[in-house]
Amino acid sequence: MVGIGFGPSNLSLATALDELGGESGGPAIDAVFLEKQPALGWHRGMLLPGAKMQISFLKDLVTFRNPASPYSFVSYLHAKGRLAAYANRNEFFPSRREFHDYLEWVEARFTKYVTYDSEVVSVQPLRDDRGHVDQLRLHVRETGSADATRVVQARNIVVSTGLVARMPDGIGHGPGVWHSSEYLTRFQTLDAARVRSVAVVGAGQSAAEIARHVYDNLPDADVYAILSPLGYTVADNTPLANQVFDPASVDDFYFSSDRAKDAVWHYHRNTNYSVVDDELIRDLYERQYADELGRSTRLTFLNLSRAQSAETVHGRTRVAVQSLRSGEVDHLDVDLLVCATGYDPMDPAAMLGELAGLCLRDEQGRLRLDRDYRVATSPELRCGVYLQGGSEHTHGLSSSLLSNIAVRSGEIANSLARYCATSAAEADADVAAGRTDLSGVKVV
Ligand code: FDA
Ligand code: NAP
């Protein structure tokens, strides 16, 4: 099995395969992972100081699948000597920085199964003389060195390449125009003294966190928050709504009608999208209030507004902002524009290349997935193609989140093991009957 991408989802899969293999200390299924970054990095561009996780530490890489796992967040705290100190905080939501440290701690146990600086650019099905595809050839670009490529062969792949940053229509990247996903990385090289005004577009968690960070870290800059609603909408984190992320909800969602799926999406989108934690909204409001008290207006909310386009004028960025009240367009000149405008779901089609042609789609053109996250494929393809992510239309809202990865990766590991056992039995039968072995060589 080759895992494409080594973020939390495939890291969780590594733990599941390890636990499936028992005491072997490594996956019993031959598994390697390819990751395009030079090291494990979980949304590094948004590792802002003070930013908290949006889920409980109990929803770590393993606990919902195996509460006794040695790879849990609690095991990590124990290993680091911070279990008592953490417990004293009465806090279910670790900082993103601490969770990143936890991910690195788990990763250190699996480094030998991962090749970094390796971006999979296409996947080619290899046909045998009967037209069957039992092997996939992955074309890999070595991101560390220019133009270096190599191939890797796999029986199964698990694609987990994550969300794709989305810029608004009419606005492109540039030296003064960033997407939130790269914010901190670029902020660290910013000549802060030259930045007097910053606009942040969006009304989600990223936008609010960045607006606060800019306000706190560029004390001489004016900050404009461009948002479509009147004020940021609070994320629904209440217990009944939170059940939408329970492992049991995946079954409910998967086996429900399209109408029910639409209803769940409609009613519970506000658990995750275009919403902000209550605490952060209040924090930003307090900053604006303090401004008013001091008779300054450093933080301005341009609400009921959308960013329409941006152009460079005399070295600054001119943003066209349309009012949803009047329809009128105003222009705002800033030194930096940050588009916290969200992400598109994972869509592996481009990366899968020729293999994508063997993957079946529904009437809306979306990939068809079995309950075990295996892509439904043409019968000649006997390899497994699994997705971690990109399954919101089939498995529900937790698809792109951490909430269910422990259970999901366990389900994928079990499915891989089941198919391995079946294909091993088929291979034995082939050999016994004098047919072919798995590499397509005739057995005499
Ligand atoms: P993730 O995107 O983390 O990893 C994918 C990996 O694949 C990356 O390392 C990437 O480099 C690699 N890759 C991509 N293409 C490749 C290719 N062709 N070849 C090789 N490697 C490739 N959810 C939640 O439940 N709680 C939370 O607190 C948060 N917090 C959060 C903060 C921020 C800033 C964002 C943007 C998102 C969240 N999320 C979240 C949602 C987020 O999707 C989730 O936390 C995980 O990142 C999902 O893990 P994955 O491994 O699926 O994707
Ligand atoms: P998001 O929730 O999808 O929000 C994107 C925002 O951009 C929306 O409010 C959208 O408004 C707005 N937008 C898009 N185009 C616009 C335009 N032209 N003008 C004005 N507004 C525009 O994205 P996100 O905030 O990046 O969050 C994505 C995921 O990351 C979520 O799961 C979130 O929980 C997670 N996250 C977590 C943390 C953390 O753990 N601390 C931090 C950041 C993000 P409309 O909806 O009106 O189009």
Coordinates of all heavy atoms in Angstrom, one line a residue, residues 158-234:
V158 N -3.8 4.9 -0.9 CA -4.7 5.7 -0.1 C -4.4 7.1 -0.3 O -3.3 7.6 0.1 CB -4.6 5.2 1.4 CG1 -5.6 6.1 2.2 CG2 -4.9 3.8 1.6
V159 N -5.3 7.8 -0.9 CA -5.1 9.2 -1.3 C -5.5 10.1 -0.1 O -6.7 10.1 0.3 CB -5.8 9.6 -2.6 CG1 -5.5 11.0 -3.0 CG2 -5.5 8.6 -3.7
S160 N -4.6 10.9 0.3 CA -5.0 11.8 1.5 C -4.2 13.1 1.3 O -3.3 13.4 2.1 CB -4.6 11.1 2.8 OG -5.0 11.8 3.8
T161 N -4.6 13.8 0.2 CA -3.8 15.0 -0.1 C -4.3 16.3 0.4 O -3.7 17.4 0.2 CB -3.6 15.1 -1.7 OG1 -4.9 14.9 -2.2 CG2 -2.7 14.0 -2.2
G162 N -5.4 16.3 1.1 CA -5.9 17.4 1.9 C -6.7 18.4 1.0 O -6.9 18.3 -0.2
L163 N -7.1 19.5 1.7 CA -7.9 20.6 1.1 C -7.0 21.4 0.2 O -5.8 21.4 0.3 CB -8.4 21.5 2.2 CG -9.3 20.8 3.3 CD1 -9.5 21.7 4.5 CD2 -10.7 20.6 2.7
V164 N -7.7 22.1 -0.7 CA -7.0 22.9 -1.7 C -7.4 24.4 -1.5 O -8.6 24.8 -1.5 CB -7.4 22.5 -3.1 CG1 -6.7 23.3 -4.2 CG2 -7.2 21.0 -3.3
A165 N -6.4 25.2 -1.2 CA -6.6 26.7 -1.0 C -7.4 27.3 -2.1 O -7.1 27.1 -3.3 CB -5.3 27.4 -0.8
R166 N -8.4 28.1 -1.7 CA -9.3 28.8 -2.7 C -9.2 30.3 -2.7 O -9.4 30.9 -1.6 CB -10.7 28.4 -2.5 CG -11.7 28.9 -3.5 CD -13.1 28.4 -3.3 NE -13.6 28.7 -2.0 CZ -14.3 27.8 -1.3 NH1 -14.6 26.6 -1.7 NH2 -14.8 28.2 -0.1
M167 N -8.8 30.9 -3.8 CA -8.7 32.4 -3.9 C -10.1 32.8 -4.4 O -10.7 32.1 -5.1 CB -7.6 32.9 -4.8 CG -6.2 32.6 -4.3 SD -5.8 33.6 -2.8 CE -5.5 35.2 -3.6
P168 N -10.5 34.0 -4.1 CA -11.8 34.5 -4.6 C -11.7 34.7 -6.1 O -10.6 35.0 -6.6 CB -12.1 35.8 -3.9 CG -11.0 36.0 -3.0 CD -9.9 35.0 -3.2
D169 N -12.8 34.5 -6.8 CA -12.8 34.8 -8.3 C -12.4 36.3 -8.5 O -12.8 37.2 -7.7 CB -14.3 34.7 -8.9 CG -14.8 33.3 -8.9 OD1 -13.9 32.4 -8.8 OD2 -16.0 33.1 -8.9
G170 N -11.5 36.5 -9.4 CA -11.1 37.9 -9.7 C -9.9 38.3 -8.9 O -9.5 39.5 -9.1
I171 N -9.4 37.5 -8.0 CA -8.2 37.9 -7.2 C -7.2 36.8 -7.3 O -7.4 35.6 -7.0 CB -8.6 38.2 -5.7 CG1 -9.7 39.3 -5.7 CG2 -7.4 38.5 -4.9 CD1 -10.1 39.7 -4.3
G172 N -6.0 37.2 -7.7 CA -4.9 36.2 -7.9 C -3.8 36.5 -6.8 O -3.7 37.6 -6.2
H173 N -3.0 35.5 -6.6 CA -1.8 35.7 -5.7 C -0.9 36.7 -6.2 O -0.8 37.0 -7.3 CB -1.0 34.4 -5.7 CG -1.5 33.3 -4.8 ND1 -2.2 32.3 -5.2 CD2 -1.4 33.2 -3.4 CE1 -2.5 31.5 -4.1 NE2 -2.0 32.1 -3.1
G174 N -0.1 37.3 -5.3 CA 0.9 38.3 -5.7 C 1.8 38.6 -4.4 O 1.5 38.1 -3.4
P175 N 2.8 39.4 -4.6 CA 3.6 39.7 -3.4 C 2.8 40.3 -2.3 O 3.1 40.0 -1.1 CB 4.7 40.7 -4.0 CG 4.5 40.7 -5.5 CD 3.2 40.1 -5.8
G176 N 1.8 41.1 -2.6 CA 1.0 41.7 -1.5 C -0.4 41.1 -1.4 O -1.2 41.6 -0.7
V177 N -0.6 39.9 -2.0 CA -1.9 39.2 -2.0 C -1.6 37.8 -1.6 O -1.1 37.0 -2.4 CB -2.6 39.4 -3.3 CG1 -4.0 38.7 -3.2 CG2 -2.8 40.8 -3.8
W178 N -2.1 37.4 -0.4 CA -1.8 36.0 0.1 C -3.1 35.3 0.4 O -4.1 35.9 0.6 CB -1.0 36.1 1.4 CG 0.2 36.9 1.5 CD1 0.9 37.5 0.5 CD2 0.9 37.3 2.7 NE1 2.0 38.2 1.0 CE2 2.0 38.1 2.3 CE3 0.6 37.1 4.1 CZ2 2.9 38.7 3.3 CZ3 1.5 37.6 5.0 CH2 2.6 38.4 4.6
H179 N -3.0 34.0 0.3 CA -4.1 33.1 0.9 C -3.8 32.8 2.3 O -2.6 32.7 2.7 CB -4.2 31.8 0.1 CG -5.4 31.0 0.5 ND1 -5.3 30.0 1.5 CD2 -6.7 31.1 0.2 CE1 -6.5 29.5 1.7 NE2 -7.4 30.2 0.9
S180 N -4.8 32.7 3.1 CA -4.6 32.4 4.6 C -3.7 31.2 4.8 O -2.9 31.2 5.8 CB -5.9 32.2 5.3 OG -6.6 31.2 4.7
S181 N -3.7 30.2 3.9 CA -2.9 29.0 4.2 C -1.4 29.3 4.2 O -0.7 28.5 4.8 CB -3.2 27.9 3.1 OG -3.0 28.5 1.8
E182 N -1.0 30.4 3.7 CA 0.5 30.7 3.7 C 0.8 31.9 4.6 O 1.9 32.4 4.6 CB 0.9 31.0 2.2 CG 0.1 32.1 1.6 CD 0.3 32.3 0.1 OE1 1.3 31.9 -0.5 OE2 -0.6 33.1 -0.5
Y183 N -0.2 32.3 5.4 CA -0.1 33.5 6.1 C 1.2 33.6 7.0 O 2.0 34.5 6.8 CB -1.4 33.8 6.9 CG -1.2 34.9 7.8 CD1 -1.3 36.2 7.3 CD2 -1.0 34.8 9.2 CE1 -1.1 37.3 8.2 CE2 -0.9 35.9 10.1 CZ -0.9 37.1 9.5 OH -0.7 38.2 10.4
L184 N 1.3 32.7 7.9 CA 2.4 32.9 8.9 C 3.8 32.7 8.3 O 4.7 33.5 8.6 CB 2.2 31.8 10.0 CG 3.1 32.1 11.3 CD1 2.8 33.4 11.9 CD2 2.8 31.0 12.3
T185 N 3.8 31.8 7.3 CA 5.1 31.6 6.6 C 5.6 32.9 6.0 O 6.7 33.3 6.0 CB 4.9 30.5 5.5 OG1 4.1 29.5 6.1 CG2 6.2 29.9 5.1
R186 N 4.6 33.6 5.3 CA 5.0 34.8 4.6 C 5.1 36.0 5.6 O 6.0 36.9 5.4 CB 4.0 35.1 3.5 CG 4.1 34.0 2.4 CD 3.3 34.4 1.2 NE 3.8 35.4 0.4 CZ 3.4 35.7 -0.8 NH1 2.4 35.0 -1.4 NH2 4.0 36.7 -1.5
F187 N 4.3 35.9 6.6 CA 4.4 37.0 7.6 C 5.8 37.1 8.3 O 6.3 38.2 8.6 CB 3.3 36.8 8.7 CG 3.2 38.0 9.7 CD1 2.3 39.0 9.4 CD2 3.9 38.0 10.9 CE1 2.2 40.1 10.2 CE2 3.8 39.1 11.7 CZ 3.0 40.1 11.4
Q188 N 6.4 35.9 8.4 CA 7.7 35.9 9.1 C 8.8 36.6 8.3 O 9.8 36.9 8.8 CB 8.1 34.4 9.4 CG 7.4 33.9 10.7 CD 7.2 32.4 10.7 OE1 7.5 31.7 9.8 NE2 6.7 31.9 11.8
T189 N 8.6 36.8 7.0 CA 9.6 37.4 6.2 C 9.1 38.9 5.8 O 9.7 39.5 4.9 CB 9.9 36.6 4.9 OG1 8.7 36.6 4.1 CG2 10.4 35.2 5.2
L190 N 8.1 39.3 6.4 CA 7.5 40.6 6.0 C 8.3 41.7 6.6 O 8.7 41.7 7.8 CB 6.1 40.7 6.6 CG 5.1 41.8 6.2 CD1 4.7 41.6 4.7 CD2 3.9 41.8 7.0
D191 N 8.5 42.8 5.9 CA 9.1 44.0 6.4 C 8.0 44.8 7.1 O 7.3 45.7 6.5 CB 9.7 44.8 5.3 CG 10.4 46.1 5.8 OD1 10.4 46.3 7.0 OD2 11.0 46.8 5.0
A192 N 7.7 44.5 8.4 CA 6.6 45.0 9.1 C 6.5 46.5 9.1 O 5.4 47.1 9.1 CB 6.6 44.4 10.5
A193 N 7.7 47.2 9.2 CA 7.7 48.6 9.3 C 7.0 49.3 8.0 O 6.5 50.4 8.1 CB 9.1 49.1 9.4
R194 N 7.0 48.6 6.9 CA 6.4 49.2 5.7 C 4.9 48.9 5.5 O 4.3 49.3 4.5 CB 7.2 48.6 4.5 CG 8.7 49.0 4.5 CD 9.4 48.6 3.3 NE 8.8 49.1 2.1 CZ 9.3 49.0 0.9 NH1 10.4 48.3 0.8 NH2 8.7 49.5 -0.1
V195 N 4.4 48.1 6.5 CA 3.0 47.8 6.3 C 2.1 48.7 7.2 O 2.1 48.6 8.4 CB 2.7 46.3 6.6 CG1 1.3 45.9 6.5 CG2 3.6 45.4 5.7
R196 N 1.3 49.5 6.6 CA 0.4 50.4 7.3 C -1.0 50.1 7.2 O -1.9 50.6 8.0 CB 0.6 51.9 6.8 CG 2.0 52.4 7.1 CD 2.2 52.4 8.6 NE 3.6 52.4 9.0 CZ 4.1 53.4 9.6 NH1 3.4 54.5 10.0 NH2 5.4 53.4 10.0
S197 N -1.4 49.2 6.3 CA -2.8 48.8 6.2 C -2.9 47.4 5.6 O -2.2 47.0 4.7 CB -3.6 49.8 5.3 OG -3.0 49.8 4.0
V198 N -3.8 46.6 6.2 CA -4.0 45.2 5.8 C -5.5 45.0 5.7 O -6.3 45.4 6.6 CB -3.4 44.3 6.9 CG1 -3.6 42.8 6.5 CG2 -1.9 44.6 7.2
A199 N -5.9 44.3 4.7 CA -7.3 43.9 4.6 C -7.3 42.3 4.6 O -6.5 41.7 4.1 CB -7.9 44.3 3.3
V200 N -8.3 41.8 5.4 CA -8.5 40.4 5.5 C -9.9 40.0 5.0 O -10.9 40.5 5.6 CB -8.3 39.9 7.0 CG1 -8.4 38.4 7.1 CG2 -7.0 40.4 7.6
V201 N -10.0 39.2 4.0 CA -11.3 38.9 3.4 C -11.7 37.5 4.0 O -11.0 36.6 4.1 CB -11.1 38.7 1.9 CG1 -12.5 38.5 1.3 CG2 -10.4 39.9 1.3
G202 N -13.0 37.5 4.4 CA -13.6 36.2 4.8 C -14.3 36.3 6.2 O -14.0 37.3 7.0
A203 N -15.2 35.4 6.5 CA -15.9 35.4 7.8 C -15.8 34.1 8.5 O -16.6 33.7 9.2 CB -17.3 35.8 7.5
G204 N -14.7 33.3 8.1 CA -14.5 32.0 8.8 C -13.4 32.2 9.9 O -12.9 33.2 10.2
Q205 N -13.1 31.0 10.5 CA -12.1 31.0 11.6 C -10.8 31.5 11.2 O -10.1 32.3 11.9 CB -12.0 29.5 12.1 CG -11.1 29.3 13.3 CD -11.7 29.9 14.6 OE1 -12.9 30.1 14.7 NE2 -10.8 30.1 15.6
S206 N -10.3 31.2 9.9 CA -9.0 31.7 9.5 C -9.0 33.2 9.4 O -8.1 33.8 9.9 CB -8.7 31.2 8.1 OG -8.7 29.8 8.0
A207 N -10.1 33.8 8.9 CA -10.1 35.3 8.7 C -10.0 35.9 10.1 O -9.3 36.9 10.3 CB -11.4 35.7 8.0
A208 N -10.8 35.4 11.0 CA -10.9 36.1 12.4 C -9.5 35.9 13.1 O -9.0 36.9 13.7 CB -12.0 35.5 13.2
E209 N -8.9 34.7 13.0 CA -7.6 34.5 13.6 C -6.6 35.4 13.0 O -5.7 36.0 13.7 CB -7.2 33.1 13.5 CG -7.9 32.1 14.4 CD -7.4 30.7 14.4 OE1 -6.4 30.4 13.8 OE2 -8.1 29.8 15.0
I210 N -6.6 35.6 11.7 CA -5.6 36.5 11.0 C -5.8 37.9 11.4 O -4.9 38.7 11.7 CB -5.6 36.2 9.5 CG1 -5.0 34.8 9.3 CG2 -4.8 37.3 8.8 CD1 -5.1 34.3 7.8
A211 N -7.1 38.3 11.4 CA -7.4 39.8 11.7 C -6.8 40.0 13.1 O -6.2 41.1 13.4 CB -8.9 40.0 11.7
R212 N -7.0 39.1 14.1 CA -6.5 39.3 15.4 C -5.0 39.4 15.4 O -4.3 40.2 16.1 CB -7.0 38.2 16.4 CG -6.5 38.4 17.8 CD -7.1 37.4 18.8 NE -6.8 36.0 18.5 CZ -7.2 35.0 19.2 NH1 -8.0 35.2 20.2 NH2 -6.9 33.8 18.8
H213 N -4.4 38.5 14.7 CA -2.9 38.4 14.6 C -2.3 39.7 14.0 O -1.3 40.2 14.6 CB -2.5 37.2 13.8 CG -1.0 36.9 13.9 ND1 -0.1 37.4 12.9 CD2 -0.2 36.3 14.8 CE1 1.1 37.1 13.2 NE2 1.1 36.4 14.4
V214 N -2.9 40.2 13.0 CA -2.4 41.4 12.3 C -2.5 42.6 13.3 O -1.6 43.3 13.5 CB -3.2 41.7 11.0 CG1 -2.8 43.1 10.5 CG2 -2.9 40.7 10.0
Y215 N -3.7 42.6 13.9 CA -4.0 43.7 14.9 C -2.9 43.7 16.0 O -2.4 44.8 16.4 CB -5.4 43.6 15.5 CG -5.8 44.7 16.4 CD1 -6.5 45.8 15.8 CD2 -5.5 44.7 17.7 CE1 -6.8 46.9 16.7 CE2 -5.8 45.8 18.5 CZ -6.5 46.9 18.0 OH -6.8 47.9 18.8
D216 N -2.6 42.5 16.5 CA -1.7 42.4 17.7 C -0.3 42.6 17.3 O 0.6 43.0 18.1 CB -1.9 41.1 18.4 CG -3.3 41.0 19.1 OD1 -4.0 42.0 19.1 OD2 -3.6 39.9 19.5
N217 N 0.1 42.2 16.0 CA 1.5 42.1 15.7 C 2.0 43.3 14.8 O 3.2 43.4 14.5 CB 1.8 40.8 15.0 CG 1.7 39.7 16.1 OD1 2.7 39.5 16.8 ND2 0.6 39.0 16.2
L218 N 1.0 44.0 14.2 CA 1.4 45.2 13.4 C 0.7 46.4 14.1 O -0.3 46.9 13.6 CB 1.0 45.1 12.0 CG 1.6 43.9 11.2 CD1 1.0 43.9 9.8 CD2 3.1 44.1 11.1
P219 N 1.3 46.9 15.2 CA 0.5 47.9 16.0 C 0.4 49.2 15.3 O -0.5 50.0 15.7 CB 1.4 48.1 17.2 CG 2.7 47.4 17.0 CD 2.5 46.4 15.8
D220 N 1.1 49.5 14.2 CA 1.0 50.7 13.4 C 0.0 50.6 12.2 O -0.1 51.5 11.5 CB 2.3 51.3 13.0 CG 3.2 51.6 14.2 OD1 2.6 52.0 15.2 OD2 4.4 51.3 14.1
A221 N -0.5 49.4 12.0 CA -1.3 49.2 10.8 C -2.8 49.3 11.1 O -3.3 48.9 12.1 CB -1.0 47.8 10.2
D222 N -3.5 49.8 10.1 CA -5.0 49.7 10.1 C -5.4 48.4 9.6 O -4.8 47.9 8.6 CB -5.6 50.8 9.2 CG -5.3 52.2 9.8 OD1 -5.4 52.3 11.0 OD2 -5.0 53.1 9.0
V223 N -6.4 47.8 10.2 CA -6.9 46.5 9.8 C -8.3 46.5 9.3 O -9.2 47.0 10.0 CB -6.8 45.5 11.0 CG1 -7.1 44.1 10.5 CG2 -5.4 45.5 11.6
Y224 N -8.6 46.1 8.1 CA -9.9 46.1 7.5 C -10.4 44.6 7.4 O -9.7 43.8 6.7 CB -10.0 46.7 6.2 CG -9.5 48.2 6.2 CD1 -8.2 48.5 6.0 CD2 -10.4 49.2 6.5 CE1 -7.8 49.9 6.1 CE2 -10.0 50.5 6.6 CZ -8.7 50.9 6.4 OH -8.3 52.2 6.5
A225 N -11.5 44.3 8.0 CA -12.0 42.9 7.9 C -13.2 43.0 6.9 O -14.2 43.7 7.1 CB -12.5 42.4 9.2
I226 N -13.0 42.3 5.7 CA -14.1 42.4 4.7 C -14.9 41.1 4.8 O -14.4 40.0 4.6 CB -13.5 42.5 3.3 CG1 -12.6 43.7 3.2 CG2 -14.5 42.5 2.2 CD1 -11.7 43.8 1.9
L227 N -16.2 41.2 5.3 CA -17.0 40.0 5.5 C -18.4 40.1 5.0 O -18.9 41.2 5.0 CB -17.0 39.6 7.0 CG -17.5 40.6 8.0 CD1 -18.0 39.9 9.2 CD2 -16.4 41.6 8.5
S228 N -18.9 39.0 4.5 CA -20.3 39.1 3.9 C -21.4 39.2 5.0 O -22.3 40.0 4.7 CB -20.6 37.8 3.1 OG -19.5 37.3 2.5
P229 N -21.4 38.6 6.1 CA -22.5 38.8 7.1 C -22.3 40.1 7.8 O -21.3 40.8 7.6 CB -22.3 37.6 8.0 CG -21.0 37.1 7.9 CD -20.4 37.6 6.6
L230 N -23.2 40.4 8.7 CA -23.2 41.7 9.5 C -22.0 41.5 10.5 O -21.3 42.5 10.8 CB -24.5 41.8 10.2 CG -24.8 43.2 10.8 CD1 -25.0 44.2 9.8 CD2 -26.0 43.1 11.7
G231 N -22.0 40.4 11.1 CA -20.9 40.1 12.0 C -20.5 38.6 11.9 O -21.2 37.9 11.2
Y232 N -19.3 38.2 12.4 CA -18.9 36.8 12.3 C -20.0 36.0 12.9 O -20.6 36.4 13.9 CB -17.6 36.6 13.0 CG -16.4 37.3 12.5 CD1 -15.8 38.3 13.3 CD2 -15.9 37.1 11.2 CE1 -14.7 39.0 12.8 CE2 -14.8 37.7 10.8 CZ -14.2 38.7 11.5 OH -13.1 39.4 11.1
T233 N -20.3 34.8 12.3 CA -21.3 33.9 12.8 C -20.7 32.9 13.7 O -19.6 32.4 13.4 CB -22.0 33.2 11.7 OG1 -22.5 34.2 10.7 CG2 -23.2 32.4 12.1
V234 N -21.3 32.6 14.9 CA -20.6 31.7 15.8 C -20.7 30.3 15.4 O -21.7 29.8 14.8 CB -21.2 31.9 17.2 CG1 -22.6 31.4 17.3 CG2 -20.4 31.3 18.3

